[in-house]
Amino acid sequence: NRAQQDALLHAVENRTVVLIGATTENPYFEVNSALLSRSRVVELEHLSKDDIETLVRRALEAPQGLAGVYWADDEAVEAICMLSAGDARAALTSLELASQMASDNEPVEVPDRPGEKRIPITLADVETANPRTGLTYDKHGDMHYDVISAFIKSMRGSDPDAAVYWLARMIDAGEDPKFIARRIMIAASEDIGNADPQALLVAEAAFKATEVIGYPECRINLAQAAIYNALAPKSNACEAACAIATARVPTSTDLTSIRTTIRRAGWSSAIFPKASSAARSGSRRGAAGRNGASSRANATAREGRRRLMTKVRPSVS
C-alpha cells in the first residue's frame, strides 16, 4: 500500500535497499510517483508465436519436460501456440495436459527420424485439454480500459461487427452491464448527437432494460443499442460546442451586463458568437470528418425527415 511504499522511499534513496519488484498492475497507477522517479519500469510483453513454438518443441525433448517420449505434429503445436496467447506457462500447461490425454495413443514413427517411435499428441488431444479458451481480461486494470476503448472506437468507426465482438468479449468476462450501457449512452451524444437524436433514446432504453433485466438477456438490448450507434450517422457538434464554450468561460469578461445584452436583438451571438456558430455548423463538419460516415448520408437522412414532416403537416387554408 501507499504507507509501505513511503516507508521504503528513504531506504531506496540512500541505496540501503535495491528494490526489484514485479506486478500485474499498472505501476503508474499503483506505485507512488516519488518511488517511480527513482526506479526504472520495464514492461514485459507477451511472447511471440515463434517463441512459444520454440518453447514447446524444447519441452518435448528436454529431460525436465516430456523427455522425448511424445511427439506433436505442426497442427498440434500451432494450436498450443494460439491457445496460450503469448503466455509461456499456459503453453506448457496445455502441452502437459495434452500429453496425458494422448497417453493411450499407439506409438508412431516420427517423421524425419526413421525407426524412432513416439506417442503422438494430436490436435484432438490439445482441444480436449483446453475445453475453453480464457481470454485475458481484468475488471479494473489496463485490459478493462483497452477493451472498452476498442468497443467505443468500433461504434464511432461505424463497424457494427467489431462493436458486437468487443461487446461479447466484455460480456464473456462478466463486465458490469450498466458500465457498458453508460458508455453506449455517452457515445450516442458524443459521436452521433443531433445527426440522429433517436440514438440517445435507444441507448437510454437499453440502459433501463439492463437495470431491469440483467444478465444474460440484457446482452441483446446492449447489442441492439451498440449496432444502432455503429450504423447511425455521426456528428461531434455537441462535444465541439461544449469544448469551445468551456474554454471560453475562464476568459469571459464582466458578465454584469448580461441582462442588458439579452434584451438586445441577436443576444445569443452577442454573448457567445463562437459557441453558437460551432453548434450550428459543427454537425456538418463532424459528420464529414470524424468517423467515416459520409455527409451525403446525413444530408439524405435530414431530407427524408423534412419530407416526412411536410407530408404530415396539416394544410392551412
Side-chain angles (χ1 to χ4, degrees), residues 109-122:
E109 187 171 312
V110 179
D112 301 328
R113 295 187 181 184
E116 182 178 351
K117 290 188 176 183
R118 295 185 183 183
I119 299 173
I121 298 175
T122 64

Side-chain angles (χ1 to χ4, degrees), residues 172-302:
D172 181 71
E175 181 61 80
D176 181 4
K178 288 188 287 187
F179 169 76
I180 302 173
R182 284 194 295 270
R183 300 311 305 180
I184 294 175
M185 288 186 70
I186 294 170
S189 290
E190 182 180 16
D191 300 317
I192 299 170
N194 290 327
D196 185 354
Q198 188 72 18
L200 183 58
L201 301 180
V202 173
E204 182 186 17
F207 184 85
K208 293 291 185 182
T210 298
E211 284 187 314
V212 174
I213 299 172
Y215 280 144
E217 288 82 1
C218 75
R219 74 190 192 283
I220 305 172
N221 308 113
L222 294 172
Q224 178 184 356
I227 292 171
Y228 191 99
N229 277 7
L231 295 177
K234 304 301 188 293
S235 166
N236 67 335
C238 299
E239 181 192 12
C242 285
I244 294 172
T246 303
R248 186 68 179 271
V249 168
T251 61
S252 299
T253 56
D254 183 20
L255 300 180
T256 57
S257 60
I258 285 180
R259 188 173 297 278
T260 304
T261 308
I262 290 175
R263 289 198 295 268
R264 297 173 185 169
W267 63 271
S268 61
S269 58
I271 290 177
F272 197 35
K274 291 185 179 180
S276 61
S277 175
R280 284 196 298 270
S281 61
S283 178
R284 291 191 292 275
R285 291 200 301 271
R290 179 163 185 172
N291 301 318
S294 68
S295 57
R296 261 196 319 275
N298 292 352
T300 302
R302 288 195 297 271

Side-chain angles (χ1 to χ4, degrees), residues 29-70:
F29 293 144
E30 303 298 332
V31 180
N32 287 350
S33 58
L35 201 56
L36 273 178
S37 67
R38 293 160 175 80
S39 309
R40 289 295 175 267
V41 177
V42 179
E43 184 177 358
L44 302 180
E45 302 286 348
H46 290 293
L47 296 179
S48 68
K49 179 182 175 182
D50 292 338
D51 293 334
I52 296 294
E53 182 176 351
T54 301
L55 181 72
V56 170
R57 296 194 183 281
R58 187 183 302 161
L60 286 167
E61 303 293 336
Q64 302 91 338
L66 299 181
V69 177
Y70 294 88

